[in-house]
Amino acid sequence: MAQPAGGEHQVYSAKSDVDDGAGRELVTAYALKRPDGEWSLLVVNRDQENAHRVRIAFRGDGGSVTGLAGTVEVATFGSAQYKWNPPRTRFIAHAETAAAPTVVTYTNGTADPDGPILRSKQSGGKDTLYDLPSASVVVIRGKVAVP
């Protein structure tokens, strides 16, 4: 979550070590340092079948490692918040009446559920684990602990 009302936002590279065994990342992350000093991480779990738990580590100068500290806000948008249901159709081998269509469409497709985003708070720490539901986008926001 970027900070509204302007100010300079700094974008940093981020790397995940969650992969599919063939070297393709299943979890990707994007890091943003906001003007108010908080960090906002956009974490995408591309794994359609499995949830993952991740630890967030910030590597500083000299190799120091720290995590988020204090209250951390988490916004989750996954299959529990959104699911697309494709159009329902019915195929009839022989039309029920002459000149009737053999394929009948019942709906145009619908989203159910269709939100809202799940918002929660948890305590951050160097060893805190964050849950990423399968096929989800999660924004994790908080302050970095001083090493």
Side-chain angles (χ1 to χ4, degrees):
M1 294 178 258
Q3 181 178 340
E8 182 177 322
H9 291 75
Q10 299 171 349
V11 179
Y12 289 83
S13 61
K15 177 89 173 109
S16 164
D17 61 1
V18 181
D19 66 34
D20 64 359
R24 292 182 295 266
E25 283 187 6
L26 291 175
V27 173
T28 56
Y30 307 88
L32 179 73
K33 186 174 183 184
R34 298 162 30 121
D36 62 3
E38 285 197 348
W39 284 82
S40 184
L41 302 155
L42 174 67
V43 186
V44 180
N45 181 3
R46 298 178 183 182
D47 192 333
Q48 299 293 308
E49 304 299 324
N50 301 296
H52 294 281
R53 299 187 91 198
V54 297
R55 183 175 292 114
I56 296 171
F58 290 86
R59 299 199 192 286
D61 296 334
S64 64
V65 177
T66 190
L68 295 172
T71 301
V72 177
E73 295 183 31
V74 180
T76 303
F77 197 72
S79 58
Q81 289 72 43
Y82 182 86
K83 181 180 180 214
W84 180 252
N85 300 296
R88 290 186 356 197
T89 59
R90 181 175 70 142
F91 176 75
I92 306 168
H94 300 284
E96 294 172 351
T97 61
T102 58
V103 176
V104 179
T105 303
Y106 292 107
T107 68
N108 291 327
T110 58
D112 184 27
D114 188 8
I117 293 172
L118 175 64
R119 297 184 186 279
S120 63
K121 294 182 181 184
Q122 68 184 81
S123 294
K126 189 172 90 172
D127 295 321
T128 301
L129 294 173
Y130 299 90
D131 293 319
L132 307 176
S134 61
S136 64
V137 176
V138 179
V139 175
I140 302 168
R141 182 167 61 99
K143 294 195 179 289
V144 173
V146 178

